[in-house]
Amino acid sequence: MRKTFSLLVSACILAFVPAACEKGETTSRKLPAGVQVAAGDPEASFDRLFVLNEGLMGYNQARLDLFRTDNGHYISDAFGASNPSLALGLGDTGNDLKINGNTVWAVLTGSGLVEVADARSLRHLAAIPVPDPRQVCFDASSAYVSSYNGAIYGGAPVNGKVYRIDLASRKVTAEVEVGEQPEGLAVVGGKLYVANSGGYSVAKAKTVSVIELEHFTVEKTLDGALNVRDVLAAGNDLWLFSQGNWADVPSGLYCLDTKTGALKERSAGLETVRASSMTLAGTSLYTLFAEWNADWTACTNYLYVYDTVTGTAEKHAFSGDMAQVRTPYALAVDAATGDLYVGDSLDSKLPGLLWCFDADGKLKWKATAGICPGHFAFWKE
Amino acid sequence: MRAAVPGILLALVSVFPPGLGAVTDSLRTATVIADARRERPAPSDSASFAELRSAPDLAAAVRRFCGVQVKDYGGVGGLKTVNVRSLGSEHTGVFVDGIQVDQAQNMQVDLGKFDLESFSSLALYGGRNSGLLQSAKEYGAASALHLRSAAPVFSPGQRLRLSTRLRTGAFGTVAPTVALESRAGRRVCLRAQAGMLTAHGRYPFRMERQRLLDDGSWAGYDTSMVRRNGDIRVFRADLSLYGSLRDSNGSWMLRGWYYDSERGLPGPVVRRASAVPDSRDRQADRNGFVQGRWQRVHRLFGLPQTTRVQAKYAADWLLYADFPEHLPEGEPALFRYLSHTAYASFADGVTLPRGWALSLAADGQYQHLDASAETMSSRPFRWSAYAVVAPSWTRPHFSLSGSLLYTAVRGRSEGRRERRHVLSPSLSVNWQPAGGPVSLESYVRRAFRMPSFNDLYYTSSGVSLQPEDALQGAFAAGWTRRLGPQARLQARLETSRILLRNKIVAVPTMHPLRWSMCNIGRVHSFETSARLRLLLGDEADRKGVSGAVTGRYTFQRARDMSDRGLPSWRGQIPYIPLHSGSLSGWLCWRRLRADADVTAVGERFSSAANRPEYRLNSYLTADLSLSGSFPMPARGRAGEGGEITLRLQLNNLTDTQYAVVPGYPMPGFHALLSAGIRF
């Protein structure tokens, strides 16, 4: 009896679902209002700040939030709200977030997908299957996604790959094998540079693969820095954020001169910089770093600002308003105002916080984000 | 499944701590029942032999209990651990015949490993166990789930009994079991049991999410999928010997248990590219233990006393194969764990004049873990010593008992050392005003759990960890009333307050594989549970009608008080429902029997930050079991006729789609049929 009833109910629901799906795909749902966290500022240097919350691995918790400057509203899970009929939402383990024109690209490592959404409405445009995707970058016609290519921690060594996606068709058009566990990648001077981290091996890797784009083949492999996660292109320079080996080699920043194919000499200031994430604003590189005590029971959080022109570094402890941040996890800097956006992952199981500080470290606003707010992207229409 | 007469007797004996243990004849049984009835306090909750047999599995039998959450990852092979009073499963000791199943690596005991068939009763002690005679370890566990077996009972002249059973149905389950019970001598009897289980483990499920949009309309998805890679193969063997001592003043028991399984791990349900296959990860387990108990009632210096010696050796082997999801031809990464546990316990209870009694117990344990993978290997070990002194004072309707447990631990791994001492006291009072139908009890105690090897050695900071501390205080009232010759009503109300301090919490560091372990968690919980049970008729009466209905309700508020600055401050801790309850009952007429169970779990959160996006829906499941036993013609000698039993189990009748752990859906409606023969 109950069974029949529940079957009837599910039949009704199922009958209604295709209609809902169709509707969701043809017309975008309006973005929800969200909550006001700051005063609206129509003159801001950007319209939207997208926040990718990574979520815990295997929990399908990746969420894309956004902050609108026009009315100062913060919209949690804006992608999910825009695409309510997309089964299982954004997906599992967000690992990178980039803007290309008017589209947002979110890399979902656990789902094996690169999600493309409209930056204005956050409407789902495409989900491109890429095995083990890590990070994404663009040139005029293509997107490039680095991939671990099935490597697993503790397993046999497997070389990674880079996939090329055509921006028009949003389909994978080519792939090329690179080194172990490739991470950050960037196009500089018409060539694609991919940092191979070797993160799953004890020794780690320190190579950068250079891919020429016409035939999409590896042209040469350069010596880079150890266990690189992110790269940033600035002119002909490629900045590498090296995570070190978690043992005797500390983290740090390195600069690869793409003209010569060699690392530049590090200035005394640069040598002092430690990092657990990196961002570039204007001519300054910003990094976050937590210094743990000897028995790993307490830590102090630091912000490093490195001036790429003068070669000097400043080290600021999180003090004043910034001392409220527990676990600085990711950082974005508005180059126009110097405002700092800090993703606070707390214990990485609780929903994290997004803090906005002005250039002097004074709190402007904060919002509750999702689990592990780890990637930011500014968008101006 | 089997005759109800010995069933209810066994149940009564074994609901209580194995006071005098093995019983080999009905006269002895009667004595033990009489003794056991005096034992106070009663367990917080219990399940009799008959109730056990009707449950789909052990986890399902346990989750009916008051204040219990079974963390179930779904399916035949899904991990099932028990959490009592929102303390965490590490605080719940699982005891098989009075000896703890200890797992040093992560302190989680998978209830799925045990076969319901090899136990005759279940008892859950939320506070302190009763009983004069307990091992020292039992005093330390915040709550204890006792799985008890009892010696087979034979009718006069009977020497051997064989039974076999085949269970089949949903998930491609094929599970044959054979058991042999025999009187091996005048004072010894044995039970040998072996069983297998194979299942493909596939089942359909639905994932659904509806959102309320700003314009007031609802939109969402409802998608159907199939759970794959949940296949399992299990082999179990169990041999128990029960004996009584020559002068009938004592008993002994020896049990060997072996479990061998190989299963697929279906992994969480996440959004996937359609080209990506489901998880291919595998797990293999081999677990075995040999344990024994000897106990004797005797007089020393003119004082009656009971002495008990227990010992155990257990070996647990686990192989976990992580297959590369995106590389179909890739080799898996293998992680192997082998652990050994050796344990011995000595307990002595002396009855002193004027109602006084004194229990003394001392336990020792050695644990060793050998973990190996291509990226790491370590071999931690730990020595533990427990000593307890527990005096009690009993008047006809009143008793007062206390205990003081001292625990010392020494351990080492790769140059890191641990050294710990913990004192845990307890005090409990029982009062039955004027010997009437009402009984009252109250206790306060400090319980703790040691950090696991995972907490200590596979992290960055583990060695400075302190044990997790649980201060418990509780008050319980029981009431029993006869409603005429054929009906009894029992009620129990229990309320408790627990302060969990120094909760071990993992905090991430920059190192992707290193977590910093800290004693920073703090949980304040308050729980009230009520149980009402109506018993009708006598189950042993094969001509009439008998039955029972039990209703249980639990209110649990467990708040995270760790840190004012966090969004979790004062939030209900993950997976603990505020309201939960169950209604279960059985009805027996002649040789036919029906069991029904409805379990309801209120809304929960997957995060202590109780925001709507972490809300888990409430759910209600209903199980029904129908069984009948039919006699076979007697073979020659009187009283030796066999019996055929048929049982149909209909689980999750309403086809409720739910998950206990997000991403691990539970099966919907499924049916199992079992047929057994016994002679």
Side-chain angles (χ1 to χ4, degrees):
Chain A
M1 192 53 187
R2 289 295 304 258
K3 167 94 172 123
T4 330
F5 174 72
S6 70
L7 272 176
L8 273 173
V9 169
S10 40
C12 291
I13 293 171
L14 285 173
F16 144 85
V17 161
C21 289
E22 228 168 88
K23 205 175 175 190
E25 270 154 33
T26 50
T27 59
S28 70
R29 294 280 173 185
K30 256 180 70 181
L31 277 174
V35 288
Q36 181 147 26
V37 293
D41 176 14
E43 306 297 305
S45 57
F46 62 94
D47 292 325
R48 285 177 181 185
L49 172 68
F50 293 100
V51 182
L52 179 64
N53 302 287
E54 297 178 351
L56 289 179
M57 201 183 278
Y59 284 73
N60 206 51
Q61 281 169 334
R63 302 278 183 271
L64 187 57
D65 300 351
L66 73 85
F67 170 67
R68 310 167 56 142
T69 50
D70 60 342
N71 61 6
H73 281 219
Y74 189 86
I75 308 169
S76 287
D77 193 15
F79 178 84
S82 261
N83 304 282
S85 46
L86 190 68
L88 295 169
L90 184 59
D92 184 53
T93 322
N95 201 62
D96 197 16
L97 180 72
K98 295 274 162 60
I99 297 282
N100 181 248
N102 286 328
T103 53
V104 186
W105 291 59
V107 177
L108 301 157
T109 298
S111 293
L113 290 171
V114 177
E115 173 69 43
V116 188
D118 179 63
R120 200 173 293 108
S121 64
L122 274 190
R123 187 162 58 97
H124 160 77
L125 297 174
I128 306 158
V130 175
D132 257 355
R134 300 296 298 182
Q135 296 199 24
V136 62
C137 77
F138 307 93
D139 66 9
S141 62
S142 303
Y144 303 97
V145 180
S146 56
S147 156
Y148 273 15
N149 188 30
I152 45 169
Y153 180 74
V158 175
N159 276 336
K161 282 183 178 174
V162 174
Y163 288 79
R164 179 183 218 161
I165 296 163
D166 180 55
L167 286 179
S169 67
R170 298 194 184 110
K171 293 267 188 303
V172 171
T173 54
E175 58 182 72
V176 63
E177 192 172 307
V178 292
E180 283 180 44
Q181 292 90 51
E183 289 278 1
L185 67 180
V187 178
V188 185
K191 288 188 173 132
L192 178 62
Y193 291 79
V194 187
N196 303 304
S197 72
Y200 284 171
S201 64
V202 176
K204 315 295 175 198
K206 58 187 309 179
T207 58
V208 175
S209 301
V210 186
I211 298 163
E212 62 80 25
L213 295 172
E214 197 180 335
H215 301 99
F216 208 58
T217 51
V218 174
E219 185 183 80
K220 58 190 167 197
T221 304
L222 306 175
D223 256 0
L226 200 64
N227 195 11
V228 168
R229 201 184 79 186
D230 303 333
V231 303
L232 281 169
N236 286 320
D237 289 341
L238 188 70
W239 285 95
L240 309 174
F241 149 41
S242 156
Q243 303 174 95
N245 63 358
W246 317 116
D248 56 319
V249 181
S251 61
L253 302 186
Y254 296 82
C255 183
L256 181 77
D257 186 341
T258 58
K259 280 265 162 61
T260 63
L263 286 187
K264 284 188 176 171
E265 190 75 24
R266 296 208 294 176
S267 68
L270 188 56
E271 298 241 4
T272 62
V273 176
R274 299 283 171 269
S276 61
S277 78
M278 166 180 79
T279 191
L280 180 70
T283 56
S284 292
L285 283 164
Y286 292 75
T287 70
L288 294 172
F289 190 72
E291 267 174 27
W292 288 81
N293 64 356
D295 64 352
W296 293 83
T297 50
C299 71
T300 317
N301 298 312
Y302 291 99
L303 172 74
Y304 286 90
V305 184
Y306 176 72
D307 189 320
T308 57
V309 179
T310 62
T312 53
E314 293 166 29
K315 180 185 183 184
H316 307 280
F318 273 57
S319 57
D321 284 355
M322 289 176 72
Q324 297 173 68
V325 179
R326 300 288 176 107
T327 314
Y329 191 61
L331 175 73
V333 181
D334 180 357
T337 58
D339 286 353
L340 295 169
Y341 296 87
V342 180
D344 185 350
S345 62
L346 303 175
D347 69 351
S348 83
K349 290 186 245 7
L350 290 169
L353 299 170
L354 176 61
W355 302 85
C356 176
F357 302 102
D358 68 13
D360 301 322
K362 275 248 174 320
L363 179 65
K364 289 182 83 173
W365 54 267
K366 70 167 181 169
T368 304
I371 292 165
C372 297
H375 308 272
F376 298 109
F378 294 108
W379 178 67
K380 184 147 182 73
E381 188 149 11
Chain B
M1 195 76 230
R2 35 175 300 175
V5 189
I8 199 159
L9 294 178
L10 287 177
L12 278 167
V13 174
S14 40
V15 160
F16 300 100
L20 286 168
V23 279
T24 48
D25 58 65
S26 50
L27 184 71
R28 195 93 189 106
T29 311
T31 328
V32 175
I33 291 169
D35 281 357
R37 280 193 174 147
R38 280 208 304 271
E39 297 239 38
R40 293 277 184 255
S44 302
D45 216 328
S46 62
S48 70
F49 183 83
E51 283 175 307
L52 264 190
R53 287 298 176 270
S54 73
D57 55 38
L58 191 57
V62 173
R63 80 182 181 145
R64 293 172 189 171
F65 286 175
C66 289
V68 167
Q69 282 79 47
V70 173
K71 204 169 184 183
D72 189 337
Y73 286 79
V76 191
L79 176 71
K80 293 159 179 62
T81 60
V82 59
N83 175 3
V84 181
R85 290 196 177 142
S86 52
L87 281 166
S89 50
E90 299 90 347
H91 279 276
T92 306
V94 178
F95 293 80
V96 169
D97 290 324
I99 300 183
Q100 193 170 2
V101 182
D102 218 330
Q103 216 270 45
Q105 192 188 346
N106 60 12
M107 300 195 162
Q108 312 247 349
V109 178
D110 184 4
L111 291 182
K113 283 185 179 161
F114 299 101
D115 186 2
L116 265 182
E117 298 276 307
S118 48
F119 298 100
S120 54
S121 78
L122 269 186
L124 178 78
Y125 294 89
R128 218 197 95 190
N129 190 347
S130 65
L132 188 57
L133 219 50
Q134 284 181 76
S135 63
K137 270 186 97 172
E138 272 189 72
Y139 289 87
S143 50
L145 179 70
H146 282 263
L147 313 177
R148 297 199 181 110
S149 68
V153 178
F154 296 92
S155 49
Q158 197 178 28
R159 293 200 67 82
L160 179 69
R161 219 163 32 211
L162 280 169
S163 62
T164 176
R165 186 200 60 164
L166 179 71
R167 194 157 58 97
T168 183
F171 322 117
T173 303
V174 179
T177 313
V178 286
L180 176 151
E181 292 173 329
S182 163
R183 227 193 259 268
R186 226 154 52 86
R187 280 180 292 273
V188 182
C189 62
L190 70 86
R191 178 189 292 119
Q193 192 169 317
M196 276 177 60
L197 183 151
T198 60
H200 60 58
R202 284 190 298 274
Y203 57 89
F205 65 94
R206 286 199 345 255
M207 293 294 263
E208 193 232 348
R209 165 132 198 221
Q210 298 294 325
R211 277 170 199 268
L212 180 61
L213 305 181
D214 276 6
D215 60 9
S217 66
W218 288 83
Y221 60 84
D222 186 338
T223 179
S224 296
M225 286 181 264
V226 176
R227 202 85 172 115
R228 290 176 205 280
N229 196 37
D231 62 294
I232 184 166
R233 175 197 59 71
V234 175
F235 171 75
R236 287 187 188 95
D238 195 350
L239 175 70
S240 306
L241 285 162
Y242 304 85
S244 56
L245 300 184
R246 186 164 300 201
D247 53 8
S248 290
N249 276 335
S251 64
W252 58 268
M253 180 190 170
L254 194 63
R255 182 170 202 171
W257 179 84
Y258 179 70
Y259 174 89
D260 186 323
S261 84
E262 205 278 325
R263 75 188 74 189
L265 299 170
V269 176
V270 300
R271 184 189 186 198
R272 282 169 191 275
S274 51
V276 178
D278 294 292
S279 158
R280 291 182 295 141
D281 296 351
R282 310 290 302 172
Q283 180 185 319
D285 291 87
R286 276 173 219 155
N287 311 85
F289 66 70
V290 181
Q291 67 182 41
R293 181 178 76 216
W294 176 93
Q295 83 181 42
R296 180 180 162 83
V297 183
H298 56 108
R299 293 184 86 83
L300 195 66
F301 308 118
L303 295 168
Q305 55 184 301
T306 313
T307 302
R308 178 154 88 192
V309 180
Q310 297 185 115
K312 172 179 179 167
Y313 166 74
D316 300 281
W317 177 85
L318 168 73
L319 172 70
Y320 171 64
D322 180 7
F323 280 83
E325 218 169 79
H326 298 274
L327 208 64
E329 69 282 7
E331 290 292 307
L334 300 177
F335 301 86
R336 289 185 195 84
Y337 304 90
L338 175 63
S339 70
H340 302 272
T341 306
Y343 168 79
S345 163
F346 173 85
D348 193 74
V350 196
T351 310
L352 301 167
R354 296 172 188 234
W356 284 90
L358 183 67
S359 294
L360 300 165
D363 297 7
Q365 181 169 272
Y366 173 75
Q367 288 168 301
H368 173 93
L369 173 70
D370 196 333
S372 74
E374 272 156 58
T375 45
M376 58 120 194
S377 75
S378 71
R379 303 158 68 92
F381 69 84
R382 175 186 271 176
W383 286 98
S384 316
Y386 308 80
V388 71
V389 50
S392 66
W393 182 61
T394 310
R395 304 310 298 161
H397 304 304
F398 178 84
S399 77
L400 183 68
S401 57
S403 72
L404 186 66
L405 169 70
Y406 170 74
T407 307
V409 163
R410 294 265 186 290
R412 198 172 71 205
S413 174
E414 328 258 293
R416 300 208 218 170
R417 284 164 194 278
E418 58 159 341
R419 268 164 177 269
R420 265 173 259 282
H421 306 268
V422 187
L423 270 181
S424 32
S426 83
L427 188 67
S428 70
V429 189
N430 292 279
W431 183 39
Q432 197 173 2
V438 174
S439 65
L440 304 171
E441 61 194 69
S442 181
Y443 63 81
V444 281
R445 63 196 292 257
R446 178 191 180 195
F448 65 94
R449 75 129 172 133
M450 286 291 171
S452 69
F453 283 168
N454 277 1
D455 296 336
L456 287 171
Y457 299 122
Y458 301 109
T459 55
S460 294
S461 67
V463 182
S464 53
L465 280 178
Q466 294 301 307
E468 256 181 45
D469 223 344
L471 297 173
Q472 299 172 287
F475 175 79
W479 176 75
T480 310
R481 190 184 165 127
R482 277 207 166 271
L483 307 169
Q486 288 291 307
R488 262 176 307 147
L489 193 63
Q490 297 173 348
R492 185 180 161 89
L493 191 73
E494 186 163 347
T495 177
S496 66
R497 184 100 172 96
I498 301 176
L499 308 181
L500 185 63
R501 301 183 308 181
N502 286 341
K503 188 176 176 170
I504 297 169
V505 173
V507 176
T509 70
M510 286 161 308
H511 192 307
L513 300 164
R514 283 268 190 233
W515 292 70
S516 169
M517 304 304 291
C518 307
N519 286 109
I520 54 172
R522 184 180 264 269
V523 176
H524 288 185
S525 66
F526 169 79
E527 182 193 293
T528 297
S529 63
R531 191 182 70 204
L532 191 65
R533 181 176 275 163
L534 176 68
L535 294 151
L536 289 171
D538 182 359
E539 202 185 6
D541 176 12
R542 287 232 148 161
K543 294 205 174 67
V545 178
S546 60
V549 188
T550 308
R552 296 176 172 98
Y553 166 79
T554 305
F555 171 85
Q556 251 181 119
R557 183 180 287 292
R559 281 185 165 149
D560 187 319
M561 307 297 277
S562 312
D563 193 328
R564 247 170 229 283
L566 291 179
S568 54
W569 172 246
R570 292 177 72 79
Q572 179 86 352
I573 62 170
Y575 306 123
I576 306 300
L578 210 52
H579 306 279
S580 59
S582 67
L583 187 66
S584 54
W586 54 267
L587 192 67
C588 197
W589 178 68
R590 297 189 178 215
R591 289 176 170 276
L592 302 176
R593 184 182 156 107
D595 289 88
D597 168 65
V598 178
T599 301
V601 174
E603 71 167 36
R604 301 140 297 145
F605 292 90
S606 62
S607 165
N610 295 167
R611 291 165 60 89
E613 59 262 43
Y614 304 108
R615 204 177 79 98
L616 301 172
N617 288 334
S618 57
Y619 62 85
L620 186 140
T621 61
D623 299 337
L624 179 68
S625 149
L626 301 166
S627 58
S629 53
F630 310 98
M632 292 197 303
R635 298 169 299 156
R637 278 173 296 165
E640 281 200 36
E643 196 174 52
I644 294 174
T645 312
L646 292 173
R647 154 164 284 141
L648 176 65
Q649 280 182 355
L650 305 169
N651 299 324
N652 196 353
L653 279 175
T654 52
D655 197 30
T656 302
Q657 300 292 316
Y658 68 105
V660 180
V661 186
Y664 291 85
M666 300 290 291
F669 171 76
H670 58 281
L672 288 158
L673 182 70
S674 72
I677 183 164
R678 185 182 140 95
F679 47 86

